[in-house]
Amino acid sequence: MTGCSRLFKIEIRWPEQIATSTWFPPLVYTIFTGLLAIIFVAFLILNLSDNLPVVGRFYFIYLTHWALITQTITMVMLGISTAWAYAKLPDGPLQGQAPLF
């Protein structure tokens, strides 16, 4: 018995499922997620510059600040993964849309 069982083999086409949208073409969707990531980073920098001088090291006791940091990290990772998947998209008929789950 060699190899992995079929249970752990996942056959997906991840570039088509990550870098495509039902509403936008792939390039527009990639630019859109990149802009959202830039906006979230700008909001985080503004929030840090407004609140750190006032509350100092107590900045992290507020749940809303942790939520903004977590959402910013998530949006940056989404932008990176979308750009990476867009670079790996094949040219073909499957380029248009990803299936809805």
Side-chain angles (χ1 to χ4, degrees):
M1 218 170 141
T2 60
C4 222
S5 73
R6 296 260 319 139
L7 179 65
F8 298 109
K9 290 187 179 184
I10 300 173
E11 300 291 332
I12 60 171
R13 295 176 306 234
W14 70 273
E16 289 92 2
Q17 293 178 352
I18 292 178
T20 57
S21 170
T22 55
W23 294 334
F24 299 127
L27 179 61
V28 174
Y29 182 67
T30 304
I31 293 170
F32 178 70
T33 56
L35 284 175
L36 281 179
I38 291 169
I39 289 170
F40 266 83
V41 169
F43 280 147
L44 179 63
I45 291 170
L46 283 173
N47 192 324
L48 285 170
S49 67
D50 285 345
N51 290 317
L52 271 180
V54 176
V55 295
R57 66 180 181 179
F58 295 109
Y59 176 83
F60 295 105
I61 67 171
Y62 298 105
L63 184 61
T64 53
H65 296 164
W66 280 105
L68 179 61
I69 291 168
T70 305
Q71 290 171 350
T72 303
I73 292 170
T74 303
M75 287 306 297
V76 168
M77 290 189 321
L78 175 67
I80 291 169
S81 64
T82 305
W84 186 19
Y86 178 75
K88 292 187 175 286
L89 273 177
D91 295 323
L94 295 176
Q95 188 175 347
Q97 297 178 349
L100 296 176
F101 297 126

